[in-house]
Amino acid sequence: MKMKKQFKYIALFAATAVMISCENEFDESIEEGGVYTAGEADFSKFVTVGNSLTSGFADNALYREGQLNSFPLILSEQFALVGGGEFNQPLVDDNLGGLLFNGTQITNNRLVLTANAMGPVGPSVLAGTPSTDIANVFTGPINNFGVPGAKSFHLGLPGYGNPGGIPAGTANPYYVRFASSPNATVIGDAAAANGTFFTLWIGNNDILSYATSGGSGVDQNAANNINPATYSSNDITDDAVFASVYSEYVTALTANGAKGALINIPDVTSIPFFTTVPALALNPADPAFGSQIPLLNQLYGGLNSIFTAFGQPDRAIQFTTTAANGLVVRDNDLADLSANPAFVSALVPLVQGVGTAAGLQLSTPQATALANVLAPQFGQIRQATANDLVTFPAASLLGGNNQALFATLTGAGLPVEIAGALSANGVTFPLGDNFVLDQQEQASVTAAQTAYNNTIAALAQANGLALVDARAALQQVAQGGVAFNGGVLTSTYASGGAFSLDAVHPTPRGYAFTANTIIDAINATYGSDLPKVDIGQYKSVQPSNNIQ
């Protein structure tokens, strides 16, 4: 029986209509009309530095409405109640979110939540041609120096805003838009703004790109590599590199006596990118999967015997009809058995047995040819455990067929049903290593995050700065949610309200929650009594059927 795409989006969006209809709106803030004090802080000129989280990035793009709901802008509105001044951001030109470079689009438009006759409810790219061309450099005063995609060491990198570096990937298109000169640095521009109060939130991408790629990069701590010029985009930044550059940034931002807030790094397990698709995603109650368990166990029973013969019994894969089953995944840390000709030979009788079960008599040459096709597929597989983290993009793959393998198998004469069963993503065709963050990779992420956060905490204490525990705040959102005047903010994808459709960046409501977390830390450190905002006044995800 051919596998169907029963897993797409894992039925995540059934409550979407309810979520949208229950959007909470208020005409006035419950805090309006109060009298507030700045305490020991001077908010007259607020400067903020960081990455996409600081810029207002959401739904996989930087668009105007997102910027107008960034946590720094929300903070600036509260700072205005105690003497805060004008707050300027390098606003993009539209709400589509894509960027152009000399007229050619170089980044995608933002995601919207769609539900129409063309397909299931889910995230889709908004249609339209963007108008923001990074060749048109933003001029004027700037207070928000948030650069999407920036890692810690990028903020001090000369040429990071040089348009000439765009083709080679050595420059960041978002910084190209507003760099004061081609060889300027983000931290240099931010320090030159001469703020009296600042926030600094950097370091997320130093581990996040490694995590979101399923650990496909290098942990430079293990490599003891302190030369960022040699790093690839998905590597974990060495702890010593982070500590060095972060200290330099704090020194630059406090050189004029400014006070500020340092924000630490949340856990990857607090964002829906890693918590939406369960590792144990194969449900025997789903007829499309459950009906095939006997055939699958016959296939894997033979394969398990081969694993045992090759001294790899821990790779055994077994499906049960009484509980959720782990996905079948490729693990690049395992020895690749397909490189051994004896493994291919051992697959031949297994392939012939599958053919016989399908009523197809395969000759030895035919079975050998198919064994050579299937060997790379089975050479590094294992069954996922509850301790694995599966990344969000896997949601659109699970249960579908690997089309290249399906075509090869049907072309070799296998019946459609058998070819489909042998090419089912996450069932017989393993989910790629880049879609799974295993325990060892998680440990590398956690170790780096812990070191970064220790550095941030120490510098906050040494410089008398507020320390914002974003890690604890997002844990609260992920572990039960945070109540507000109108609902509960959770990390559930699409319907939880905290995270946008890219499953990493907050919604306006999530950014409002972030602003409140920062306000709490500022008030506690500087004796101010800044009011928090009502997060119910801010939007969550946005629906649209105007898609590409």
Side-chain angles (χ1 to χ4, degrees):
M1 187 177 297
K2 185 177 179 180
M3 284 284 181
K4 299 177 182 178
K5 259 195 170 177
Q6 71 273 26
F7 300 108
K8 189 166 186 179
Y9 305 122
I10 326 283
L12 299 173
F13 310 108
T16 300
V18 175
M19 171 197 69
I20 295 170
S21 65
C22 292
E23 195 74 61
N24 192 43
E25 300 290 345
F26 296 89
D27 292 328
E28 295 183 334
S29 167
I30 59 175
E31 301 285 353
E32 189 170 342
V35 177
Y36 309 101
T37 58
E40 300 173 4
D42 176 2
F43 299 105
S44 58
K45 187 168 187 182
F46 172 42
V47 170
T48 185
V49 187
N51 52 37
S52 54
L53 293 168
T54 296
S55 71
F57 195 97
D59 299 311
N60 204 39
L62 188 67
Y63 58 100
R64 183 174 284 247
E65 186 176 354
Q67 290 180 289
L68 294 176
N69 287 281
S70 66
F71 82 79
L73 184 64
I74 295 170
L75 286 177
S76 73
E77 292 169 343
Q78 303 310 98
F79 294 165
L81 300 173
V82 291
E86 186 177 5
F87 186 79
N88 299 292
Q89 301 188 108
L91 296 174
V92 295
D93 298 334
D94 55 50
N95 275 319
L96 294 176
L99 295 182
L100 308 175
F101 183 37
N102 291 322
T104 300
Q105 187 163 352
I106 58 173
T107 67
N108 292 329
N109 290 359
R110 67 185 174 99
L111 299 174
V112 291
L113 194 64
T114 184
N116 57 35
M118 299 299 293
V121 176
S124 298
V125 178
L126 184 64
T129 302
S131 55
T132 304
D133 197 317
I134 65 171
N136 301 322
V137 177
F138 183 90
T139 58
I142 294 175
N143 298 73
N144 189 331
F145 295 88
V147 181
K151 296 189 176 187
S152 60
F153 52 87
H154 287 145
L155 299 187
L157 183 64
Y160 195 54
N162 188 335
I166 294 293
T170 58
N172 184 305
Y174 296 98
Y175 184 45
V176 166
R177 278 196 69 239
F178 66 87
S180 62
S181 71
N183 289 320
T185 66
V186 178
I187 195 63
D189 282 350
N194 200 31
T196 61
F197 193 89
F198 69 91
T199 62
L200 176 61
W201 198 3
I202 196 70
N204 308 70
N205 291 330
D206 294 68
I207 55 175
L208 186 63
S209 59
Y210 175 89
T212 55
S213 67
S216 63
V218 174
D219 179 3
Q220 296 295 353
N221 286 296
N224 197 28
N225 182 359
I226 59 171
N227 181 10
T230 65
Y231 292 2
S232 297
S233 60
N234 292 331
D235 292 355
I236 293 178
T237 301
D238 183 89
D239 302 344
V241 171
F242 178 85
S244 176
V245 298
Y246 199 97
S247 179
E248 291 174 5
Y249 302 157
V250 172
T251 297
L253 293 169
T254 58
N256 66 348
K259 300 183 185 302
L262 307 183
I263 308 170
N264 69 10
I265 312 302
D267 299 330
V268 296
T269 51
S270 293
I271 62 176
F273 195 91
F274 296 100
T275 59
T276 299
V277 181
L280 307 183
L282 301 176
N283 183 359
D286 186 329
F289 169 70
S291 64
Q292 295 205 50
I293 288 178
L295 177 61
L296 290 169
N297 282 339
Q298 178 183 345
L299 168 67
Y300 281 116
L303 191 60
N304 293 340
S305 297
I306 296 173
F307 287 152
T308 299
F310 277 79
Q312 304 285 333
D314 55 332
R315 296 196 195 185
I317 294 171
Q318 176 75 31
F319 297 110
T320 175
T321 59
T322 60
N325 292 273
L327 296 165
V328 176
V329 302
R330 183 184 307 279
D331 190 335
N332 290 345
D333 292 329
L334 298 176
D336 189 356
L337 298 179
S338 68
N340 187 337
F343 180 71
V344 178
S345 297
L347 287 177
V348 172
L350 177 62
V351 170
Q352 288 177 315
V354 171
T356 299
L360 184 68
Q361 299 302 314
L362 296 173
S363 67
T364 298
Q366 288 175 317
T368 300
L370 286 173
N372 276 289
V373 171
L374 294 172
Q377 176 177 342
F378 296 133
Q380 290 180 292
I381 64 171
R382 65 176 175 86
Q383 195 161 19
T385 74
N387 294 320
D388 290 310
L389 294 178
V390 179
T391 64
F392 181 75
S396 61
L397 297 177
L398 299 183
N401 296 122
N402 179 276
Q403 293 302 310
L405 179 61
F406 180 78
T408 298
L409 295 177
T410 53
L414 285 185
V416 168
E417 291 187 351
I418 297 300
L422 288 173
S423 61
N425 291 321
V427 182
T428 50
F429 191 86
L431 197 62
D433 188 83
N434 58 307
F435 290 104
V436 181
L437 196 67
D438 64 29
Q439 283 186 280
Q440 181 178 343
E441 293 161 345
Q442 292 172 48
S444 295
V445 170
T446 299
Q449 176 210 31
T450 300
Y452 298 171
N453 283 347
N454 288 341
T455 292
I456 294 169
L459 287 169
Q461 182 176 20
N463 291 275
L465 303 172
L467 175 64
V468 181
D469 195 352
R471 177 177 180 267
L474 285 183
Q475 280 181 334
Q476 187 179 4
V477 172
Q479 297 171 4
V482 175
F484 64 93
N485 185 20
V488 178
L489 189 73
T490 76
S491 62
T492 303
Y493 184 75
S495 63
F499 287 92
S500 70
L501 295 172
D502 59 27
V504 173
H505 297 90
T507 59
R509 186 170 294 171
Y511 278 125
F513 171 76
T514 301
N516 281 347
T517 302
I518 296 170
I519 287 171
D520 280 339
I522 291 172
N523 286 343
T525 302
Y526 297 115
S528 51
D529 59 356
L530 295 166
K532 294 192 288 188
V533 299
D534 187 339
I535 68 175
Q537 291 186 321
Y538 296 82
K539 294 179 179 179
S540 55
V541 298
Q542 300 179 46
S544 175
N545 286 332
N546 180 30
I547 61 173
Q548 294 182 1

